[in-house]
């Protein structure tokens, strides 16, 4: 807009050399100044982007405190007891699929619009899944993530003993476990990434090989 006004002024005084020179200077300034402003804005955006990237506090999981809680052992087939550890089932999908796309039932323990906590059970697999909060998430989302992880930690100990609890601790620390027998159960996959934690136990696998 500033450039357009300067050029218009130059045309209306084209017979006056002094006016023309002044207009030319003004036009040069008008062209130059926005560039400086754009650069400043760009620097500001960079600074802002950097600030956003650094915001947020990583979620802390008090695993050491959880490990002191006494638990009652459960078998991987004792679905009612497994569900009780996670809480009250709010919805059930009998037409779901498991990790390998086999028919399964999904049990949800949170409302649809809340950070999820699920169990998927099929003939072959038992899958635990929950929301894994990001450092920039809200305090409420982080609290849900912590509570979900605590329940998963307890259930893993019920199913696999203290080694099961260690699996959850390793997951929360960014480690991935694949195809390993832990506490008598075959863990097909255990990981936390991209807002999601999953622990998949292969119920039908032989439980004598560390894979």
């Amino acid at each position: 807009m500033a450039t357009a006004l300067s050029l218009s002024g130059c045309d209306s005084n084209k017979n006056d050399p002094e006016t023309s020179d002044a207009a030319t200077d003004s036009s040069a300034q008008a062209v130059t100044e926005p560039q400086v402003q754009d650069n400043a804005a760009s620097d500001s955006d960079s600074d802002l982007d950097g600030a956003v990237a650094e915001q947020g506090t990583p979620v802390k999981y008090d695993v050491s405190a959880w490990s002191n809680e006494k638990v009652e052992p459960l078998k991987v087939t004792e679905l009612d007891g497994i569900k009780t550890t996670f809480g009250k089932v709010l919805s059930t999908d009998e037409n779901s699929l498991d990790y390998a796309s086999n028919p399964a039932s999904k049990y949800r323990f949170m409302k649809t619009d809340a950070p999820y906590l699920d169990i998927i059970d099929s003939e072959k697999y038992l899958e635990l899944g929950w929301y894994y909060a990001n450092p920039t998430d809200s305090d409420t989302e982080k609290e849900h993530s912590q509570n979900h992880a605590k329940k998963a930690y307890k259930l893993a100990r019920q199913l696999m003993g203290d080694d099961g609890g260690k699996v959850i601790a390793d997951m929360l620390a960014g480690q991935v476990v694949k195809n390993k027998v832990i506490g008598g159960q075959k863990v097909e996959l255990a990981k936390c990434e991209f807002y999601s934690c999953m622990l998949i136990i292969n119920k039908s696998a032989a439980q004598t090989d560390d894979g």
Side-chain angles (χ1 to χ4, degrees), residues 1-191:
M1 181 64 75
T3 303
L5 292 174
S6 298
L7 293 176
S8 176
C10 180
D11 290 340
S12 64
N13 296 283
K14 60 184 178 180
N15 294 327
D16 186 343
E18 293 181 2
T19 303
S20 178
D21 290 342
T24 300
D25 292 341
S26 175
S27 176
Q29 291 177 357
V31 171
T32 302
E33 290 175 359
Q35 293 177 346
V36 173
Q37 292 173 357
D38 288 344
N39 290 338
S42 177
D43 291 340
S44 176
D45 289 341
S46 298
D47 292 341
L48 184 58
D49 289 342
V52 170
E54 294 174 0
Q55 286 179 352
T57 303
V59 183
K60 294 182 179 180
Y61 299 93
D62 195 0
V63 176
S64 59
W66 302 345
S67 64
N68 295 325
E69 182 181 350
K70 292 183 178 180
V71 299
E72 292 293 330
L74 284 172
K75 294 180 180 179
V76 74
T77 54
E78 294 179 321
L79 184 59
D80 288 342
I82 290 170
K83 290 188 290 186
T84 298
T85 297
F86 266 22
K88 180 181 178 181
V89 176
L90 297 185
S91 65
T92 302
D93 180 3
E94 299 287 354
N95 297 311
S96 189
L97 299 174
D98 68 10
Y99 174 68
S101 298
N102 300 307
S105 297
K106 177 188 284 187
Y107 304 95
R108 310 216 74 166
F109 297 83
M110 300 293 291
K111 294 181 179 179
T112 304
D113 58 349
Y116 75 95
L117 177 65
D118 298 344
I119 289 174
I120 297 178
D121 184 66
S122 69
E123 184 176 348
K124 185 175 182 179
Y125 293 102
L126 174 70
E127 305 174 24
L128 314 181
W130 68 95
Y131 183 79
Y132 182 54
N134 190 65
T136 56
D137 280 346
S138 69
D139 289 342
T140 299
E141 289 169 324
K142 291 179 180 179
E143 184 177 357
H144 280 305
S145 183
Q146 290 169 323
N147 290 337
H148 295 349
K150 183 177 180 179
K151 291 178 179 179
Y153 185 91
K154 178 180 179 179
L155 183 52
R157 289 182 66 212
Q158 289 178 296
L159 296 172
M160 297 177 281
D162 289 341
D163 287 342
K166 187 177 184 302
V167 170
I168 301 297
D170 288 344
M171 291 168 59
L172 296 172
Q175 297 184 36
V176 178
V177 177
K178 291 182 178 180
N179 300 319
K180 187 173 182 180
V181 172
I182 298 173
Q185 299 296 341
K186 180 67 175 290
V187 175
E188 191 105 347
L189 178 63
K191 66 176 181 178

